[in-house]
Amino acid sequence: VGVAITGIISFICYNSFDFLYLLYMNQWMPFALLIAQLGIAVVFSARLFKMKVTTVRVLFLAYAALLGITLTTWVLAYGLSSVALAFGLSVGYFVALAVIGYTTKANLMRLGPILYTGLFVFIIAEAILMFLGTDIMTMGFAAIGLALFTGITAYDTQKMKKMYIEFEGDEDMIQRLSIYNAFQLYLDFINIFLYILRFVGNRD
């Protein structure tokens, strides 16, 4: 549902002259969207077990809608056909990873800290290199990012399975975990999509 909302909102914005005009005339808009998304993510994570389930669900869907607005800039940069191709490839790749993570007997839990540490270092390195004027849209960066989220997606899926088993019978906790895990997997999918888009996208 989150991915569907992101796609629908992005498509509507892409076909809205008023929105495109607003986007080009207000340089602060991408920054404001980023701040809003970060704010929702922080509140979502910090108050997951304190807010009502309905409120948590609304925050997740609001985040998905805001990201749909942000992703409109990617559609403008790469073109609708490239985005559609990347989306289709991402769906297939993501489903395969989720199935592997859910069905494998290998213990992926030990890989979690390593993968997330690697992701943190990767994000910091991207930020520093971007500040220094280095092109971070290269295939090399896309390959590293995709490799990290390949492992993280399988790890998050197995972690989700273990959580459900641990809290089986606690209906309130299961509902909260369902939204939390949906949010985690949603972010994994979006990142996989963005890195695949770098591979197949045409920015001409």
Side-chain angles (χ1 to χ4, degrees):
V1 172
V3 171
I5 288 176
T6 298
I8 292 170
I9 294 296
S10 184
F11 182 79
I12 292 173
C13 291
Y14 177 75
N15 288 281
S16 170
F17 175 80
D18 291 336
F19 171 78
L20 296 179
Y21 178 80
L22 182 65
L23 182 64
Y24 279 109
M25 294 301 293
N26 295 279
Q27 296 182 349
W28 52 265
M29 189 173 178
F31 181 72
L33 287 170
L34 178 61
I35 294 297
Q37 290 169 44
L38 289 174
I40 290 177
V42 169
V43 173
F44 185 94
S45 301
R47 299 189 59 83
L48 174 65
F49 300 106
K50 298 178 182 179
M51 296 183 296
K52 293 182 179 179
V53 173
T54 302
T55 304
V56 178
R57 187 176 289 113
V58 169
L59 281 176
F60 172 34
L61 298 180
Y63 184 94
L66 285 173
L67 191 57
I69 298 173
T70 302
L71 287 182
T72 304
T73 58
W74 289 77
V75 181
L76 293 171
Y78 286 98
L80 195 58
S81 59
S82 293
V83 170
L85 174 60
F87 182 82
L89 292 173
S90 300
V91 169
Y93 190 62
F94 178 83
V95 169
L97 291 174
V99 170
I100 291 172
Y102 192 82
T103 59
T104 184
K105 294 182 179 180
N107 184 9
L108 303 179
M109 293 298 98
R110 68 185 71 176
L111 298 179
I114 299 173
L115 290 167
Y116 277 103
T117 300
L119 179 61
F120 178 76
V121 173
F122 179 64
I123 291 173
I124 295 299
E126 277 194 318
I128 293 173
L129 291 174
M130 185 170 59
F131 178 77
L132 295 175
T134 305
D135 182 14
I136 63 170
M137 302 300 286
T138 62
M139 294 296 184
F141 277 99
I144 295 172
L146 185 59
L148 283 170
F149 277 98
T150 294
I152 289 172
T153 299
Y155 163 79
D156 283 343
T157 306
Q158 189 174 88
K159 181 181 69 175
M160 173 188 70
K161 180 180 178 181
K162 290 182 179 295
M163 284 181 174
Y164 287 149
I165 294 174
E166 181 179 352
F167 292 98
E168 186 177 5
D170 188 337
E171 187 61 30
D172 181 72
M173 182 62 74
I174 290 295
Q175 287 189 39
R176 293 177 187 277
L177 287 177
S178 69
I179 304 171
Y180 169 77
N181 287 317
F183 186 66
Q184 289 286 103
L185 293 176
Y186 168 83
L187 292 178
D188 293 343
F189 174 83
I190 292 298
N191 280 282
I192 285 173
F193 163 70
L194 292 177
Y195 285 118
I196 288 180
L197 182 59
R198 292 191 192 182
F199 281 109
V200 305
N202 179 10
R203 293 173 61 93
D204 295 337

